[in-house]
Amino acid sequence: MSGKPLRFSRNAAGIQNVICVLIAPMPDSPSRRQLLQAALPLFSASQALFGWQFKPANPDHPPPQPGQLPEKPRTHDGETGQSTFSTSVKVVQVYASVRDGKGTIIKDLQKGDFTLSEDGKPETIEYFSRESDLPLTLGLLVDTSGSQRNVLGDEKRASYKFFEQVLREDKDRAFVIHFDREVELLADLTSSRQGLERALDLLEVDSPRSSGGSGSGGGGGWGGGGQGRRGRRGGTSMYDAVLLASDELMKKQQGRKALIMLTDGVDNNSKVTIDDALESAERADTLIYSILFADPNGYGGGYQPMPRMGRRGGMGGGYPRSGGERPDGKKVLQRLSKQTGGGFFQVSKKHPLDEIYQKIEEELRSQYSLGYSPDAGNTSTDYRHIQLTVSRPGLIVQAREGYYPHSS
């Protein structure tokens, strides 16, 4: 990974400013009260402008470490109700979806139907529930490189509908990122469908080597992206987008978290590798749902994606810049989804994007939540493999393949 830290470019829809008012200690007097009264409108104005929500920290309940559940008292056995946790016990949480051979989601399994192991050692499933109503944090990552020119309109239309159907404004939050040769946050975490729709309206395909580069014309809608955003070489920074979304947004959130990626899966411009992107998503306890949406003519004459992966399987930081085989975007996306416990889908005439979004919505509302306490004597912070199976024959379990324990 590059030694220089990656940073988001924030669009106007994602900018957050800070207004600070410093009041020096002084005796309680009319002049002090006047200063305090004068400061309140400033804080109120900033909250109205930027949608801030100030929540006092609770020192008795610190936030859980990524990949682990919070420590809190036991309530009940959790066989069919909410997840339950014991005090002072580190618990690893695994979200799982189960389908039959025809792809139908199975919703009637019980705790005894599952078997779980860590690094080959059987573990006791202590907490179990079927999660359909828990809050959800979603991140939509949209490829706006030149290869997506002819499919971006369909992506925007279907994404409007997806947010309308999935996002519960009293419970769920989402953000929107686009990536081409750079990564830009168009809408920060919000529960407002209108705010997300405004971010989708800003999506446009990158136009490298266009004249001017002054932000006029097609580039005029980009707050903070204007000068010089266009007119440089093209590229796709997909792995950078996953890492930034995971590290800077998802890692700070609790509960169920999922990234949804709309792309052809080809990365040729990232500063990090697919392994870096996967590690960041796993440390943030985030599922990745990959939607392969490729335009057959997206790369122009003689610049089509290769039907097979290169020797390294596309697992580096993009394919060679000058010649050589390009990675197979499908296999790259399948790996991102499989390893994190998300799902892979491919848009086609038989399976349009609207249908795929419906499947993702159903899956997110039909997950099983399982928790177990790993061996307290194992203090290693190395990656640990998880294997989750069911006893009922013919069923396919979709869950993350492992996690990184947090050092205490």
Side-chain angles (χ1 to χ4, degrees), residues 112-401:
D113 294 318
F114 289 88
T115 300
L116 189 148
S117 64
E118 178 181 297
D119 287 338
K121 177 186 175 182
E123 298 286 352
T124 300
I125 299 172
E126 299 171 346
Y127 314 112
F128 176 87
S129 63
R130 289 186 288 274
E131 308 290 13
S132 60
D133 199 44
L134 286 182
L136 181 64
T137 302
L138 289 173
L140 181 64
L141 278 56
V142 183
D143 184 347
T144 52
S145 61
S147 62
Q148 301 299 97
R149 181 175 294 105
N150 295 326
V151 299
L152 188 60
D154 290 337
E155 293 177 345
K156 291 168 68 171
R157 177 191 54 76
S159 297
Y160 290 136
K161 187 176 179 181
F162 177 71
F163 281 136
E164 284 285 339
Q165 293 177 341
V166 173
L167 197 71
R168 302 165 298 179
E169 291 190 307
D170 60 331
K171 289 187 177 182
D172 305 326
R173 295 197 299 167
F175 60 87
V176 178
I177 288 174
H178 87 91
F179 60 94
D180 38 54
R181 58 179 172 77
E182 56 189 24
V183 180
E184 190 173 16
L185 179 66
L186 299 182
D188 210 334
L189 275 167
T190 179
S191 58
S192 168
R193 295 192 188 101
Q194 291 76 16
L196 294 167
E197 289 174 359
R198 285 194 296 270
L200 292 174
D201 288 337
L202 293 174
L203 291 171
E204 62 179 18
V205 171
D206 190 24
S207 301
R209 296 185 174 86
S210 61
S211 60
S214 62
S216 60
W222 296 96
Q227 293 281 346
R229 182 180 189 278
R230 305 296 188 235
R232 295 186 297 217
R233 67 178 177 84
T236 308
S237 302
M238 180 176 69
Y239 304 148
D240 288 354
V242 172
L243 185 142
L244 287 167
S246 301
D247 281 0
E248 296 200 16
L249 291 166
M250 287 301 198
K251 195 171 186 179
K252 305 170 186 177
Q253 309 307 312
Q254 300 181 29
R256 297 189 302 153
K257 298 174 282 187
L259 296 178
I260 298 174
M261 298 178 57
L262 284 166
T263 177
D264 60 10
V266 176
D267 185 300
N268 62 357
N269 198 59
S270 284
K271 298 178 178 65
V272 303
T273 68
I274 187 174
D275 294 311
D276 297 324
L278 277 167
E279 180 174 340
S280 66
E282 289 173 316
R283 288 189 183 278
D285 196 20
T286 298
L287 311 178
I288 297 178
Y289 285 86
S290 302
I291 302 176
L292 175 59
F293 201 171
D295 174 16
N297 301 313
Y299 289 91
Y303 197 53
Q304 300 290 341
M306 298 294 290
R308 297 181 180 178
M309 300 184 76
R311 292 193 184 105
R312 294 187 60 82
M315 301 314 170
Y319 58 86
R321 297 329 193 244
S322 56
E325 289 189 4
R326 294 157 41 85
D328 184 336
K330 181 176 180 178
K331 291 187 177 180
V332 169
L333 294 178
Q334 285 174 329
R335 182 186 174 194
L336 287 168
S337 295
K338 184 176 184 294
Q339 193 162 323
T340 60
F344 168 81
F345 303 89
Q346 184 169 359
V347 177
S348 64
K349 290 183 178 179
K350 186 177 180 180
H351 300 291
L353 184 55
D354 286 326
E355 175 191 302
I356 290 172
Y357 268 144
Q358 289 175 1
K359 290 182 178 180
I360 292 176
E361 177 187 3
E362 181 186 16
E363 186 168 304
L364 290 172
R365 302 299 181 202
S366 307
Q367 290 176 317
Y368 297 93
S369 176
L370 304 95
Y372 71 97
S373 302
D375 181 8
N378 184 358
T379 59
S380 171
T381 57
D382 293 338
Y383 184 80
R384 302 182 187 180
H385 295 272
I386 296 174
Q387 184 177 18
L388 183 66
T389 59
V390 292
S391 56
R392 191 182 301 182
L395 299 186
I396 302 169
V397 179
Q398 177 181 303
R400 61 176 176 166
E401 296 184 343

Side-chain angles (χ1 to χ4, degrees), residues 27-68:
D28 192 8
S29 64
S31 59
R32 186 184 182 212
R33 286 195 295 270
Q34 290 171 359
L35 284 171
L36 289 170
Q37 291 169 355
L40 288 175
L42 291 175
F43 287 106
S44 300
S46 66
Q47 184 173 0
L49 284 171
F50 303 109
W52 287 358
Q53 292 181 344
F54 296 99
K55 297 181 180 179
N58 186 343
D60 296 327
H61 297 284
Q65 301 292 355
Q68 296 176 333

